[in-house]
Amino acid sequence: RDKVKHLRAEMTTARREGAFLLPLLPRGSFRRTDVQFSAGRDAIVPCCSCTLSSKAGPLMGRSVHRRGTTFTPAKGVFTTMRKVQCPVTSVLLGPTASGAGNYKGEDPEFSIIREEIVYQKYMMLISQDVKYPNGKVINYDVTASQMDDYTAVTIFPFCTKTKTTTLLREYCPGPNAMMYSLPGGGYDKSKHRDLQHAAECELSEEAQLRGGTWVPLMASVKNGVAMGKSTKNRFVPWLVLDPEPDPNPMAQDYEEFIMPHRGIPIDDLQDIIFSGEILLTSCITSFVALEKLRSMSIL
């Protein structure tokens, strides 16, 4: 009975503060993540039985279950937690949640007033309400990956001596086919120092290459390129000149099936692009990289 009262009180407070309630998750489901807590209100979970361990001892109250979001304990104590494990009862995302409306370069005239995670595994499906400048509110289904800042990297390796690149043949579950692609993957703040380090790791892991001269292909590596109309995911393309074979490449992810192919002539790359057998992010990265190589008088 006390737990129910606590939960109702938390929900009432959250609604008064302008938050929105998501559907209840399956009882007993867990999320475990590294979270940085700080002052302010953000994505919160009203947990009636959640114990958060910290140097200051256990805390009870609202807890965050998304990496990098903001935590407001019930007693106003702000601290840094290392690990969180809690049976999630419900999740609330406020209008100012860290995943809502904080994209670099977003249009301020279109405001995200509600976000609801309706499915979450490797990918997230988000129900999103957007208020138009004319006051109309439209609901969208938006996807997002479990990456920091929803950001990935792609890499175009280029050998200046042979004028060739390296492509991957990779199993892609969407089309259920082996497709061509460039090395690339998600940015993870817990593993990567920055976006270039993420690109270096992916180059080793997928193409079995290392080193070289790194050239960013965007005016600002912080913005990246939107992967699609209805996704939060973005990617930052890189060009690397003259990488060398990595004698000790990093291990691929368990689910990946990738075969690198080196020495691909640019004419063959263009044929592959126009055949439609290469992933869209790799296609865009290739075009931008080739233009950069021409501007550098390398190609």
Side-chain angles (χ1 to χ4, degrees):
R1 187 176 303 151
D2 291 339
K3 290 181 179 180
V4 172
K5 288 182 179 180
H6 174 78
L7 177 58
R8 286 176 177 171
E10 290 289 319
M11 293 170 63
T12 300
T13 301
R15 289 194 181 101
R16 187 165 56 246
E17 293 175 351
F20 296 86
L21 180 63
L22 271 67
L24 296 180
L25 298 175
R27 186 174 183 83
S29 61
F30 289 87
R31 299 180 189 177
R32 189 176 181 90
T33 179
D34 294 323
V35 185
Q36 179 75 28
F37 297 90
S38 59
R41 182 179 64 82
D42 205 329
I44 59 174
V45 178
C47 295
C48 54
S49 60
C50 174
T51 300
L52 306 179
S53 60
S54 71
K55 293 181 179 179
L59 294 173
M60 300 287 290
R62 304 177 192 172
S63 58
V64 174
H65 294 268
R66 292 175 55 193
R67 179 180 292 136
T69 52
T70 304
F71 174 70
T72 307
K75 295 183 179 180
V77 178
F78 302 102
T79 183
T80 298
M81 306 295 182
R82 295 183 179 276
K83 293 289 184 181
V84 176
Q85 184 169 354
C86 170
V88 180
T89 53
S90 58
V91 181
L92 298 105
L93 294 176
T96 58
S98 61
N102 286 338
Y103 275 119
K104 308 138 183 116
E106 80 164 10
D107 194 330
E109 294 186 0
F110 294 84
S111 57
I112 299 175
I113 61 175
R114 185 186 70 92
E115 283 189 319
E116 175 183 328
I117 302 173
V118 296
Y119 176 81
Q120 182 172 356
K121 194 176 178 183
Y122 174 74
M123 295 286 293
M124 292 187 294
L125 178 62
I126 301 170
S127 177
Q128 179 174 283
D129 289 345
V130 179
K131 187 176 182 179
Y132 282 15
N134 61 6
K136 183 167 54 176
V137 176
I138 304 297
N139 176 259
Y140 289 102
D141 289 340
V142 177
T143 62
S145 292
Q146 303 270 18
M147 303 180 295
D148 283 311
D149 299 328
Y150 309 117
T151 302
V153 293
T154 53
I155 307 99
F156 188 92
F158 187 75
C159 178
T160 58
K161 294 181 180 179
T162 62
K163 309 298 183 184
T164 60
T165 187
T166 296
L167 290 179
L168 310 178
R169 287 286 284 174
E170 178 178 6
Y171 173 72
C172 302
N176 189 32
M178 294 290 289
M179 302 281 291
Y180 285 103
S181 69
L182 290 170
Y187 168 53
D188 186 341
K189 292 179 181 178
S190 68
K191 297 191 302 184
H192 305 131
R193 296 187 300 273
D194 50 31
L195 290 172
Q196 181 175 327
H197 184 228
E200 293 170 352
C201 291
E202 293 297 334
L203 184 69
S204 173
E205 176 184 322
E206 297 186 345
Q208 299 171 13
L209 297 172
R210 68 177 184 182
T213 302
W214 288 84
V215 181
L217 292 175
M218 302 298 298
S220 172
V221 297
K222 294 182 179 180
N223 290 331
V225 182
M227 289 191 186
K229 178 180 179 179
S230 298
T231 181
K232 292 181 177 291
N233 297 339
R234 308 178 77 85
F235 71 97
V236 177
W238 293 82
L239 167 66
V240 58
L241 302 175
D242 299 321
E244 61 182 13
D246 190 344
N248 298 298
M250 300 178 65
Q252 294 181 7
D253 294 336
Y254 176 76
E255 72 278 4
E256 289 180 323
F257 188 91
I258 296 174
M259 296 182 293
H261 293 267
R262 301 174 188 165
I264 304 294
I266 299 305
D267 287 344
D268 290 355
L269 169 64
Q270 292 175 332
D271 289 342
I272 292 171
I273 290 174
F274 287 108
S275 74
E277 297 180 7
I278 190 170
L279 298 181
L280 181 59
T281 53
S282 300
C283 179
I284 295 173
T285 301
S286 296
F287 276 121
V288 177
L290 293 175
E291 185 60 30
K292 185 67 173 181
L293 289 168
R294 295 187 184 100
S295 70
M296 298 170 68
S297 300
I298 296 176
L299 189 62

